[in-house]
């Protein structure tokens, strides 16, 4: 409870930080250059786990990430996960897939550190990701019926393969709640780089991306440990 | 503080559930062959033949199903039943065959129209499923009422467009 309180307060504080920074310009000049690598944080996304529990939309996803801290300014990140879908539409068309996905990217800490002060571990991050996944999917029971000529055809598309690449623009907050334990959230827009042509069989769900529209959004809430 | 957490959780749930509803199909799934009726008339000012649309006073149209044995049977349901003032036909092509044949009665004169086509599966989306689109290869007709035909658009897809002109 206390840690959540601390987390929320720190987030509120972040909003005023730019003003505070302006007032404290003339603090001591002692240069403490941050080290190049200040530890690796291993994080698990809880938002997707919670979503899997409450979702009845037929999709699931889990992911974890490793983020490095370079000079308290650049935060390269690798995110890997597993996602899938098992859905039947109102017209009884079935869609099934699962697959691994990965994203690489970098976040930038937008908070100016006080010069000379001990660097805080509360971060306001903005960054980009490049996502990639390659997976197989099945679409079953696609019915083409003809009322006039009285024919019905059922199509099944099995083991269709797809490779999707997308980019994401990410903003988020990451706070050290207890020593070396981090919590944070991100919100992101996702934009698909390779779309299917009209009329082509295409996957309804893309692991790591979501439901296959040209752009979508994502939310993550992660908990992590810094080594 | 105690109030913040339930509010946060509620917002979180609303946020997600709101976005997971079943989507419905918003694409056009209708694929029909459209045929227009024309007179070709000489326009002296332009010094060229121009097409003028006309309507048939009364029209009856029915599909003819050709079995593999070559036996032809009339489809029970009638697409145009003694309909008045018809200037355009909107017809379903046979999705299970590469040939669609129709018996058309213009006023009292009967003709058959046979359309040969190639069929394609055209996947729309999971919500909309798949439709058949067609490419018209040839059109054959008898020439009792019909003088000639012209294919102006070979691709029959889910877009409203005229494909064939029938001249009288």
């Amino acid at each position: 409870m206390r840690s959540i309180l601390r987390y929320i307060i720190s987030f509120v504080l972040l909003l005023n930080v730019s003003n505070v920074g302006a007032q404290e310009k003339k603090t001591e000049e002692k240069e403490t250059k941050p080290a190049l690598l200040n530890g690796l944080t291993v994080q698990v996304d809880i938002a997707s786990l919670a979503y899997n529990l409450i979702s009845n939309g037929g999709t699931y996803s889990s992911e974890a990430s490793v983020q490095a801290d370079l000079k308290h300014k650049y935060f390269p990140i690798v995110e890997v996960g597993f996602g899938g879908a098992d859905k039947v539409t109102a017209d009884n068309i079935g869609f099934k897939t699962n697959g691994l996905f990965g994203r690489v990217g970098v976040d930038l800490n937008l908070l100016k550190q006080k010069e000379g002060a001990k660097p805080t571990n509360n971060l306001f991050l903005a960054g980009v990701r490049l996502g990639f996944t390659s997976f197989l999917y099945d679409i079953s029971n696609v019915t083409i019926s003809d009322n006039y000529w009285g024919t019905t055809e059922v199509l099944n598309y099995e083991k269709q393969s797809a490779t999707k690449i997308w980019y994401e623009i990410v903003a988020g907050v990451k706070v050290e709640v207890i020593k070396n334990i981090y919590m944070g959230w991100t919100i992101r827009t996702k934009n698909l780089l390779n779309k299917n042509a009209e009329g082509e069989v295409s996957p309804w769900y893309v692991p790591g991306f979501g439901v296959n529209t040209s752009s979508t959004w994502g939310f993550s809430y992660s908990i992590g440990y810094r080594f | 503080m105690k109030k913040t957490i339930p509010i946060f959780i509620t917002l979180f749930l609303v946020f997600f559930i709101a976005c997971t509803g079943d989507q419905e199909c918003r694409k056009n799934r209708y694929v029909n062959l459209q045929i227009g009726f024309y007179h070709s008339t000489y326009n002296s000012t332009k010094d060229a033949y121009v097409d003028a649309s006309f309507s048939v006073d009364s029209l009856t149209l029915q599909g003819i199903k050709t079995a593999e044995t070559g036996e032809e049977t009339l489809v029970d349901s009638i697409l145009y039943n003694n309909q008045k003032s018809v200037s355009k036909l909107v017809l379903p092509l046979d999705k299970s065959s590469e040939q669609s044949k129709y018996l058309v009665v213009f006023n009292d004169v009967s003709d058959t129209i046979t359309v040969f086509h190639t069929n394609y599966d055209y996947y729309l989306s999971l919500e909309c499923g798949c439709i058949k689109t067609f490419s018209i290869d040839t059109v054959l007709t008898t020439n009792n009422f019909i003088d000639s035909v012209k294919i102006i658009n070979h691709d029959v897809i889910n877009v409203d467009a005229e494909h064939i002109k029938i001249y009288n």
Side-chain angles (χ1 to χ4, degrees):
Chain A
M1 201 60 188
R2 267 186 62 199
S3 57
I4 296 171
L5 183 62
R6 196 169 160 190
Y7 169 62
I8 290 169
I9 288 173
S10 58
F11 175 58
V12 173
L13 283 176
L14 291 180
L15 301 172
N16 311 329
V17 147
S18 52
N19 302 337
V20 176
Q23 288 163 13
E24 295 182 4
K25 248 179 194 162
K26 45 193 184 295
T27 39
E28 70 238 73
E29 301 276 293
K30 209 175 123 199
E31 283 274 312
T32 47
K33 268 211 169 156
L36 176 66
L37 180 65
N38 300 291
L40 289 170
T41 317
V42 176
Q43 308 171 116
V44 176
D45 181 25
I46 300 172
S48 60
L49 297 177
Y51 175 65
N52 295 345
L53 293 176
I54 62 164
S55 157
N56 52 5
T59 68
Y60 53 89
S61 186
S62 309
E63 62 183 86
S65 60
V66 179
Q67 189 162 37
D69 176 349
L70 302 180
K71 296 180 172 178
H72 289 306
K73 185 151 194 214
Y74 305 104
F75 296 82
I77 186 165
V78 175
E79 299 169 327
V80 290
F82 180 80
D86 190 349
K87 186 189 166 76
V88 177
T89 68
D91 297 331
N92 277 325
I93 300 176
F95 177 83
K96 210 177 246 189
T97 190
N98 58 60
L100 292 167
F101 61 88
R103 306 187 198 105
V104 291
V106 65
D107 284 334
L108 202 66
N109 184 15
L110 297 182
L111 290 182
K112 276 261 170 7
Q113 298 280 354
K114 282 182 252 168
E115 271 189 51
K118 186 181 173 289
T120 97
N121 287 320
N122 301 333
L123 310 166
F124 179 42
L125 300 166
V128 290
R129 305 276 187 278
L130 189 69
F132 174 87
T133 182
S134 188
F135 57 99
L136 296 175
Y137 62 96
D138 295 338
I139 298 176
S140 57
N141 202 24
V142 183
T143 314
I144 301 180
S145 59
D146 191 322
N147 293 333
Y148 186 73
W149 297 95
T151 57
T152 301
E153 189 182 348
V154 178
L155 300 171
N156 289 298
Y157 300 98
E158 275 166 14
K159 300 244 176 327
Q160 304 285 311
S161 75
T163 299
K164 293 282 174 187
I165 300 165
W166 68 96
Y167 73 90
E168 303 178 355
I169 294 171
V170 185
V173 165
K174 195 163 140 186
V175 175
E176 186 174 28
V177 281
I178 314 169
K179 187 162 172 54
N180 289 333
I181 303 284
Y182 284 81
M183 285 174 97
W185 54 261
T186 66
I187 190 150
R188 51 186 82 194
T189 65
K190 306 177 175 191
N191 297 279
L192 213 53
L193 291 170
N194 56 339
K195 291 160 205 157
N196 286 82
E198 274 284 305
E200 216 173 74
V201 176
S202 58
W204 173 74
Y205 179 87
V206 176
F209 179 82
V211 173
N212 187 3
T213 48
S214 63
S215 79
T216 182
W217 57 270
F219 179 77
S220 77
Y221 189 99
S222 55
I223 185 159
Y225 185 82
R226 192 181 70 170
F227 293 95
Chain B
M1 186 60 207
K2 279 201 175 118
K3 277 183 186 163
T4 324
I5 288 171
I7 290 171
F8 183 74
I9 291 170
T10 313
L11 284 175
F12 183 79
L13 291 175
V14 168
F15 200 42
F16 274 116
I17 292 165
C19 299
T20 55
D22 248 5
Q23 287 183 316
E24 55 187 68
C25 177
R26 289 196 202 84
K27 291 177 178 173
N28 182 13
R29 297 180 43 120
Y30 294 99
V31 179
N32 286 311
L33 175 73
Q34 293 189 21
I35 302 175
F37 299 144
Y38 294 90
H39 285 302
S40 192
T41 51
Y42 182 73
N43 183 321
S44 53
T45 52
K46 283 184 185 166
D47 190 25
Y49 283 93
V50 289
D51 291 344
S53 179
F54 76 96
S55 44
V56 177
D57 293 339
S58 155
L59 187 139
T60 300
L61 189 147
Q62 220 169 335
I64 301 171
K65 187 89 182 167
T66 310
E68 277 169 36
T69 54
E71 193 190 337
E72 292 185 343
T73 45
L74 281 173
V75 177
D76 287 340
S77 90
I78 296 169
L79 284 165
Y80 290 83
N81 193 355
N82 200 12
Q83 197 157 318
K84 308 298 174 197
S85 296
V86 179
S87 64
K88 187 172 104 172
L89 299 174
V90 179
L91 306 176
L93 289 167
D94 191 346
K95 293 167 188 166
S96 62
S97 167
E98 304 235 304
Q99 166 191 338
S100 303
K101 194 168 182 181
Y102 307 92
L103 173 70
V104 198
V105 184
F106 300 92
N107 302 320
D108 292 321
V109 188
S110 293
D111 265 317
T112 58
I113 304 173
T114 312
V115 182
F116 293 91
H117 46 82
T118 312
N119 306 355
Y120 302 97
D121 293 335
Y122 191 95
Y123 182 80
L124 291 172
S125 67
L126 199 66
E127 292 82 17
C128 301
C130 203
I131 56 173
K132 284 276 186 198
T133 61
F134 310 91
S135 174
I136 302 169
D137 301 321
T138 330
V139 180
L140 298 178
T141 66
T142 54
N143 294 108
N144 302 321
F145 178 86
I146 298 168
D147 176 70
S148 59
V149 289
K150 190 168 152 192
I151 304 170
I152 54 167
N153 183 357
H154 283 267
D155 299 316
V156 185
I157 55 170
N158 59 340
V159 171
D160 190 34
E162 192 166 271
H163 307 99
I164 295 170
K165 283 181 168 183
I166 284 183
Y167 293 95
N168 165 242

